[in-house]
Amino acid sequence: MTVRDLSIYPARPRPVLSVLVFAAVLIWIDTSILGIALEHLADPAAGLDATPGQLQWAVGAYSLLFATALFAAGALGDRYGHRTILVLGLLGFGAASVWAAWAGDATSLILARGLMGLGGAMMMPTSMAIIGVTFPPERRAGAIAAWSASSGVGVALGPLLGGVLVDHFWWGSVFLVNLPVVVLALIGIALYVPNPRQAHRRRPDPAGLVLSTGGLALLAYGLIEAGQDTGWGSPRVWISVLAGLALLTGFAVLEWRSAEPSFDPRLFRDGRFSAGNVALAALFFGITGQMFYGNFYLQGARGMTALGTGLAFLPGALGVALGSGLGARLARRHGVGVVSGTGLLVVGAAFLANLGFGLHTPLVLFCAVGLVSGVAMGCAIAPTVAAVIAVLPADRMGAGSAVNNTVRQVGSVLGIAVLGTVLTTAYRDRIAPALAALPAAARDAASPSAEHTRAVADVLHRPDLASAADHAFISAMHITAASAAGATLLGGILLLVAFRGRRPTPVPSGAASTEVAV
């Protein structure tokens, strides 16, 4: 028996959808709001004196737990009721937000962010399952589209809300914005949302959860640690990377042999499914890295306010929303390979355009590049997601969608780990000559990041050192942008080759659309 067999179709489904959309905004706000606070978190005086590696973990911990816990959350919803797991996810998200807001050190913030990612993972599949049993087949596609629109709202609101809060309060206030949403969502859930369960209950996969989480965490740890003083030759780096790869290999073997895998690696035997997912992972790899260095560029090197930074990122978010609808229409006419592949190539070109950004680049140029990049992202993501799911048999679409969601989150984790490390190592190499004449203690304090260098420059009354930090960061940013561009351009080429000469498979609608989303 499937979810559809248990449909209850309440007489007033719109309040149910409204509550779920409102709750989902939490997930997407927190994918973008922390970036606005990174500059302040790195501040030795007003922040947590966080190192670049700790900031990478603060961003990556959210995506890591979100990616690896998605499957477990869906299975728990089948067994104990999807509303029950949704409520637990919201409560965990709220508690973690309070913890993050008053975190006394970077380690506490990282742990709180991981718990927030776990809460988000518990909310996403359960919300989709509830939509599936609330709306009849002919109305599900529209309900899913409305729920999905919350992602655009959250991503756009995150930097703006974060900018206002950071400028007027303190960095921790960016997390407290979650609390009113949690409270109102819990009230709405209690009043309107049903608690469906699956007749066929998927078995929890604790071994898979441990292997995937541990493997990805060790891999990310090794990659991030390489950007610190240890370097790539340190045993701590390569042992962590090899151990992470070994655990992830064990996870793939376990799932391959399982009769009911939570993550089905057999789906990658389809070439187009593999190519589409790899290309999307490459895109999210580049996006995450660009957002990471972009915040430091605007607030640190250029001295913009947090709100000004949020406004500068707004054209990109609006571009994604515009490009999503445009991409779907163009793909129906010209094919997925041409539209999505070209979209990734344009995004890669936009990353390359970052190589022209300096300390005095007109802000309108930054916004224009962001808008073009955002439209291209939207044109690439929506058709590619639809295409990689549509190549699968109908009974495998749900599993394929879950794999697709996870792969994109993994791309984000690796993006912040790899590109953050590229940024850190490039900066440290370029600032070293300017720090050579400083006493050892001052040199060690100034070397981790541009924020630390500027703090030391303020103490020593050395404006020339602060200027050197800005120029070293710009150079490091260019190297990081080129790396992000390379990955994205390869993804675009892969899509052009894999889907060449093919018209897109029609996007499923109605009941099939629900299976894809869930």
Side-chain angles (χ1 to χ4, degrees):
M1 186 178 293
T2 66
V3 170
R4 290 191 300 273
D5 297 317
L6 297 179
S7 297
I8 55 176
Y9 306 153
R12 299 175 61 194
R14 287 187 179 180
V16 176
L17 180 62
S18 298
V19 171
L20 296 177
V21 168
F22 185 73
V25 171
L26 270 180
I27 300 174
W28 308 115
I29 283 180
D30 274 82
T31 62
S32 58
I33 197 170
L34 178 63
I36 296 296
L38 291 177
E39 178 74 21
H40 297 264
L41 289 168
D43 191 319
L48 296 180
D49 192 20
T51 65
Q54 290 170 330
L55 294 177
Q56 288 171 261
W57 272 114
V59 175
Y62 182 90
S63 295
L64 193 154
L65 269 295
F66 193 101
T68 56
L70 275 172
F71 301 103
L76 291 173
D78 291 346
R79 182 171 296 271
Y80 300 107
H82 291 288
R83 184 182 65 185
T84 301
I85 303 303
L86 174 61
V87 167
L88 291 176
L90 278 166
L91 291 173
F93 208 106
S97 298
V98 174
W99 185 8
W102 281 285
D105 52 50
T107 300
S108 297
L109 177 62
I110 292 166
L111 294 174
R113 286 285 293 171
L115 183 57
M116 291 166 71
L118 179 61
M122 296 172 72
M123 292 161 59
M124 188 173 185
T126 52
S127 295
M128 296 309 303
I130 292 169
I131 290 174
V133 301
T134 300
F135 289 86
E138 65 274 10
R139 297 179 61 191
R140 284 181 192 148
I144 290 169
W147 186 89
S148 300
S150 65
S151 62
V153 174
V155 170
L157 280 179
L160 296 179
L161 288 174
V164 172
L165 292 170
V166 169
D167 282 348
H168 290 85
F169 301 99
W170 89 109
W171 61 262
S173 61
V174 300
F175 301 110
L176 297 183
V177 72
N178 298 330
L179 299 184
V181 180
V182 169
V183 172
L184 292 175
L186 288 173
I187 293 173
I189 289 170
L191 293 175
Y192 299 111
V193 176
N195 194 26
R197 304 183 187 188
Q198 273 277 22
H200 173 70
R201 298 177 180 179
R202 289 174 288 167
R203 292 181 300 173
D205 185 13
L209 179 63
V210 170
L211 287 173
S212 60
T213 304
L216 191 56
L218 281 172
L219 178 59
Y221 174 80
L223 294 172
I224 292 173
E225 192 66 19
Q228 312 312 305
D229 293 334
T230 51
W232 288 101
S234 169
R236 187 164 55 185
V237 171
W238 55 262
I239 289 176
S240 297
V241 170
L242 291 177
L245 292 174
L247 289 179
L248 291 174
T249 301
F251 170 69
V253 171
L254 175 70
E255 298 303 302
W256 188 284
R257 294 178 175 178
S258 174
E260 294 184 354
S262 57
F263 180 97
D264 193 351
R266 290 177 286 251
L267 297 175
F268 287 93
R269 291 182 293 190
D270 187 292
R272 286 174 293 158
F273 182 85
S274 297
N277 278 289
V278 170
L280 287 171
L283 175 60
F284 279 80
F285 175 94
I287 292 171
T288 308
Q290 194 267 349
M291 290 293 291
F292 187 72
Y293 70 70
N295 281 287
F296 291 112
Y297 166 63
L298 294 175
Q299 293 187 63
R302 298 193 56 152
M304 292 177 59
T305 64
L307 179 57
T309 300
L311 290 170
F313 280 122
L314 185 59
L318 297 177
V320 173
L322 176 64
S324 297
L326 178 63
R329 291 193 297 271
L330 291 175
R332 284 193 292 268
R333 178 177 299 179
H334 302 290
V336 172
V338 172
V339 175
S340 295
T342 303
L344 260 71
L345 295 180
V346 172
V347 174
F351 289 157
L352 289 177
N354 290 182
L355 273 63
F357 292 167
L359 294 175
H360 307 292
T361 300
L363 189 59
V364 66
L365 180 59
F366 179 90
C367 295
V369 171
L371 177 62
V372 172
S373 178
V375 172
M377 289 177 196
C379 285
I381 294 172
T384 305
V385 170
V388 298
I389 302 304
V391 300
L392 301 175
D395 62 340
R396 304 302 297 148
M397 284 184 173
S401 180
V403 168
N404 177 260
N405 280 322
T406 300
V407 167
R408 283 183 282 169
Q409 294 295 328
V410 170
S412 296
V413 174
L414 295 180
I416 195 65
V418 174
L419 295 179
T421 292
V422 170
L423 181 70
T424 302
T425 54
Y427 174 79
R428 198 166 54 236
D429 290 343
R430 278 148 186 78
I431 196 62
L435 303 180
L438 294 179
R443 186 169 60 248
D444 292 341
S447 62
S449 68
E451 288 67 37
H452 286 81
T453 306
R454 294 188 197 103
V456 171
D458 288 342
V459 173
L460 299 178
H461 305 289
R462 290 276 305 275
D464 61 308
L465 188 58
S467 178
D470 292 340
H471 286 89
F473 175 83
I474 294 296
S475 178
M477 181 185 77
H478 291 164
I479 295 173
T480 310
S483 303
T488 309
L489 291 172
L490 289 175
I493 294 170
L494 184 60
L495 280 180
L496 286 170
V497 172
F499 289 90
R500 65 185 183 279
R502 294 180 181 271
R503 292 288 178 178
T505 305
V507 179
S509 60
S513 179
T514 300
E515 296 298 331
V516 171
V518 175

